[in-house]
Each structure stands twice: as C-alpha cells, then as structure tokens.
Amino acid sequence: MKAHDGMYIGGAWRPAAGRDAIAVVNPADEQVIAEVPAGGAEDVDAAVRAARAALPAWAATAPAERAARIAALRDVLVARKDEIAETVTAELGAPLPFSQAVHAGVPILVAGSYAGLAASYAFEEKVGNSTVYAEPVGVVGAITPWNYPLHQIVAKVAPALAAGCTIVLKPAEDTPLTAQLFAEAVHEAGVPAGVFNLVTGLGPVAGQALAEHEGVDLVSFTGSTAVGRKIGATAGAAVKRVALELGGKSANVILPSADLAKAVAVGVANVMGNSGQTCSAWTRMLVHTSQYDEAVALAAEAAAKYGDRIGPLVNAKQHARVRGYIEKGVAEGARLVAGGPEAPREQGYFVSPTVFADVTPEMTVAQEEIFGPVVSLIRYEDEDDALRIANGTVYGLAGAVWAGDEAEAVAFARRMDTGQVDINGGRFNPLAPFGGYKQSGVGRELGSHGLAEYLQTKSLQF
C-alpha cells in the first residue's frame, strides 16, 4: 500500500502538525520502503478532541448497530486480506504464508467474535431491586506493538467499538503501514467520523502524550513491562484506568507421561513462529531428567528445520539485542546445540534458530524475555521441582503442559502462576481471555473478558 502523509482524525486524513517523519524499513533487506509522519502532542490532542466529540453519539448507538459496523469492518479485512499480509511482510519481515495465516487471518477471527459479542452481550441486567448497566468507559488511548501489528490493533479496537467507546490509536513506529491500512478499512466499513482516530509517531513523544492526555479515560497498552510500569504510574497519578499486556517467559512443561517427540516438536515450533517475537512464546522447555538428553537431541533436530523458514527480526536494535542474549547464555555456561549469535546472512536482521541445553533456572536466558528464536531446555527432578521452575520468574503470561493423561496435565496447569495454559497443544480460541499474572500485565484481552475492560458499571435502585 502507499503510505499516507497525514493522520486519520475525525473521519479524514489530515496533515500532521509537524514535519518530522518516520522511515519504515524492510527488515529482510534493510531498505527504506516508506515514510509516515511522526506525530506529536498537537496531533494527539486533535485526535482526542475528535474522539470526545464523537463519544456521546457512538455510546448511545444501539449494540446491534455497533455490531453491524464491526461486522462490516471484518468484511473489509477479509476483502483486503492479501494486501494486509503483503504489508505486514514488507514492514515486519514475516514470511508471506505466516502473514496470510496469522497476521491477516487471526484479526479477522477476532473482529468476527466481537461482532457477535456486541450483539449478544448483556449490557443491562436485573440484580434484586437494581438495574445494572454496563456503559462505555469513554475515550480509549490504544498503544500497540509491532510484533503482531494488526492483531493487537483489532484486539483493542474491536472490543472498544463493541462497548461504545471511541478510540485514538498510536501504533508502533516500526509497523505503521498496517495501522494506516486498518484506518482505511475502518473508513470503508462506515464507522462514524471521530469514533476511530490514528496518530503515527514515536512512543516517547506521541505515546506519552496520549497516555498523559486528560481527555483519555483508559489507556490500553501492549509492550514491554518497563514501559508498562511508566504508563501505569502516569495513569495512576490521574486515577485513569489501564489495561496492560506486557512481557512473558512462558514455560513448556513436559511431564514424563507425555508424547515427548510431539511435545518437543510443537514446543520448538511455538517459539520459532514470528521469529520468536511473541510475548506468549514457550521459551523455557522443562523436561524430566530421565528424558532430558533425548529432548535436547529432538529440539536441536527440530530447530534445524527452521533455518530458512523464519523471517528476520524487526530492526537493527532487536537484532543486536537477541544476539547479545545468545552470547550471554554462552558466557553463563549454557550449551549451544543449535544456532548461535552469528548472523546467518549478510543482509537483513536474521538470527539462526537457537537451542540452549544445560540451562539452569537462574541464568539470564531463563529469566529475561529475549524476544527472538531462542529455546532454553531446563531439566527438573519431579513435579514439585518443575512447578518451582515454571513459576520462578517475574512473568506469568502463558504456558503449556503435556501429559499422557489430560487430567494430570490440568492438575499441573491449575498450579501454574500464569494467565493462559495450553494442554497437550490446545488450539487458539479467540473467545478465551488472554492476559497475565504478576508482571505480565493487568486486565484481559479477547472474548467477553476483553470487552469488559472497556465497560464501567452503573446501578439504579428501585
């Protein structure tokens, strides 16, 4: 798609307040493919004012009509699915088949789910002698990351629309073209002017201005825990609501009764998807000591198959960061059995699929979020030891448990301090709540729980 040189505010593309621009780089060949405006506080203020002006009418719109607009948006995304995939591939670097299936396909599922929920959700209920109403929280400031650029936008915008909120979106500066394409889709779907607004810009400038704006009632942020803390502090000072989806260091626990070969293969594939740039990736593989050596061999074999199948990391900074983590793992005594820090190609921000063995729970690669195609295998002695290791980080976003008996896996999963656990390779469910324990965040996305984040309650007593 051709980049817009302005902001989408009040239902139209308008020039940015300043002249600064952001270069969009294709991480596969390091070439600049477009430029978008770098918005600032003045652009954010215009967008928030447009959202506030549109709020009363949109909040009063019948849920069925809101559902119809979301369904229309889904239909536009379906019609433009190929363009979406090509755009994500160009600015994120994901292989085109992955972009088609995941980056374009999953947001369509999520949008469809909220079209249904908007029509069926109980926005009003009787409780004794009271009537309780679920009302929109107001203007939402949505700040989204680059790793799943459209999914993260839809996961915030669709429930906000369903709730009757209006939105100002500040997307990641690495993937603004996908956000602009989404704004076009919103316009084509007939969403009223001012209900959705887009400001491209840098996080410390436009993102901070949005989080601090007194006209924003809720800040929904997905990104690093460090930035999430700052947003939480800013919102707390203003007694403003937040929804924070932050980092992860998820454990893939393989119990002795599991199908080891399947659990290892699926576990490695889970980390390699999106070049490891997934907050919920199962980056710690926990294996019983009696099966550990076999699992190491299986993991190395599985990782080798991804050598030419994964895309680059998003930018030079991320590339250097991930390679630095791999070097640190070696320095701390972890054993490389696949991959390594050496760049596999002369051009592009590529990192080899990497597997570490002999990782201990206190090592940096077992504690910190690497956000790259790196799997750490950790041995355990018994289930209590496995649980201690699985729960032994500051994060609690996702995870997996494998066992020959489903009940055994469920019993272990119930003791994990994490927001979502896949049992024996459970499938993605767009209606299931997603979010974390501990420093992985506050609140939930997807399904009815995600919709509830954008609602506030009012009770009338009779």
Side-chain angles (χ1 to χ4, degrees):
M1 64 168 290
K2 182 180 179 181
H4 290 273
D5 60 0
M7 311 297 183
Y8 184 76
I9 297 175
W13 293 95
R14 62 173 67 177
R19 295 181 177 273
D20 292 341
I22 298 170
V24 183
V25 176
N26 184 328
D29 60 15
E30 304 177 49
Q31 301 300 305
V32 174
I33 57 174
E35 285 190 346
V36 300
E42 188 175 341
D43 299 295
V44 168
D45 183 65
V48 173
R49 289 179 183 276
R52 291 222 72 86
L55 179 61
W58 183 247
T61 300
E65 174 57 23
R66 298 201 296 260
R69 290 307 99 213
I70 299 170
L73 174 59
R74 175 207 56 206
D75 292 345
V76 176
L77 296 178
V78 170
R80 302 183 69 171
K81 184 176 180 180
D82 289 344
E83 185 182 2
I84 291 167
E86 291 165 2
T87 301
V88 174
T89 291
E91 61 182 355
L92 178 64
L96 188 57
F98 189 86
S99 289
Q100 290 169 331
V102 178
H103 288 295
V106 171
I108 290 168
L109 286 177
V110 173
S113 75
Y114 278 112
L117 279 168
S120 63
Y121 193 84
F123 291 98
E124 176 183 336
E125 64 173 329
K126 295 287 187 180
V127 181
N129 65 305
S130 301
T131 301
V132 180
Y133 297 92
E135 299 182 342
V137 70
V139 174
V140 174
I143 304 174
T144 56
W146 46 260
N147 60 325
Y148 288 90
L150 185 60
H151 169 63
Q152 293 292 348
I153 290 171
V154 172
K156 298 183 188 306
V157 173
L161 291 175
C165 296
T166 56
I167 306 105
V168 178
L169 170 67
K170 204 300 286 184
E173 50 263 36
D174 290 293
T175 53
L177 301 182
T178 301
Q180 289 190 343
L181 195 158
F182 179 77
E184 293 179 358
V186 167
H187 191 87
E188 188 175 342
V191 175
V195 171
F196 171 84
N197 306 273
L198 170 68
V199 175
T200 53
L202 302 177
V205 180
Q208 183 172 338
L210 184 59
E212 293 177 348
H213 200 290
E214 62 181 10
V216 171
D217 300 295
L218 179 149
V219 180
S220 180
F221 169 78
T222 298
S224 72
T225 297
V227 175
R229 288 194 193 101
K230 295 178 182 178
I231 290 175
T234 297
V239 196
K240 182 182 300 186
R241 284 177 53 177
V242 295
L244 305 173
E245 199 269 279
L246 308 176
K249 194 67 182 176
S250 301
N252 179 19
V253 182
I254 305 174
L255 298 177
S257 63
D259 181 336
L260 183 65
K262 181 179 180 181
V264 171
V266 175
V268 170
N270 174 274
V271 177
M272 298 306 155
N274 214 39
S275 304
Q277 300 171 129
T278 304
C279 55
S280 58
W282 310 333
T283 53
R284 295 180 297 144
M285 185 179 292
L286 278 56
V287 184
H288 189 268
T289 186
S290 65
Q291 299 174 314
Y292 187 79
D293 290 340
E294 182 182 358
V296 169
L298 288 169
E301 181 183 353
K305 298 176 182 178
Y306 289 89
D308 58 356
R309 291 166 55 187
I310 64 172
L313 301 180
V314 69
N315 56 36
K317 180 180 179 181
Q318 182 70 5
H319 187 236
R321 180 177 182 271
V322 172
R323 293 174 68 187
Y325 270 115
I326 297 172
E327 290 169 352
K328 184 144 190 149
V330 172
E332 291 184 355
R335 175 166 57 97
L336 275 173
V337 296
E342 297 80 13
R345 306 188 193 185
E346 293 184 2
Q347 189 177 44
Y349 306 127
F350 292 89
V351 170
S352 296
T354 297
V355 176
F356 276 118
D358 302 337
V359 175
T360 57
E362 70 277 2
M363 287 182 178
T364 301
V365 294
Q367 288 291 320
E368 298 184 12
E369 186 175 39
I370 297 172
F371 230 56
V374 182
V375 182
S376 295
L377 272 76
I378 305 171
R379 67 175 75 235
Y380 67 85
E381 299 296 329
D382 54 33
E383 283 199 16
D384 287 339
D385 189 36
L387 186 68
R388 175 187 64 83
I389 296 168
N391 289 341
T393 75
V394 299
Y395 299 111
L397 186 57
V401 181
W402 300 79
D405 178 62
E406 187 175 284
E408 180 188 6
V410 169
F412 189 95
R414 290 296 305 272
R415 295 197 290 161
M416 293 174 71
D417 296 335
T418 191
Q420 190 172 84
V421 184
D422 291 348
I423 303 298
N424 290 333
R427 293 177 292 110
F428 171 74
N429 179 3
L431 295 176
F434 179 77
Y437 288 18
K438 300 188 284 188
Q439 292 187 29
S440 284
V442 177
R444 293 294 181 268
E445 293 189 323
L446 304 182
S448 60
H449 293 79
L451 174 56
E453 294 292 331
Y454 299 91
L455 295 167
Q456 54 191 349
T457 54
K458 176 186 291 178
S459 63
L460 275 58
Q461 284 61 249
F462 296 89

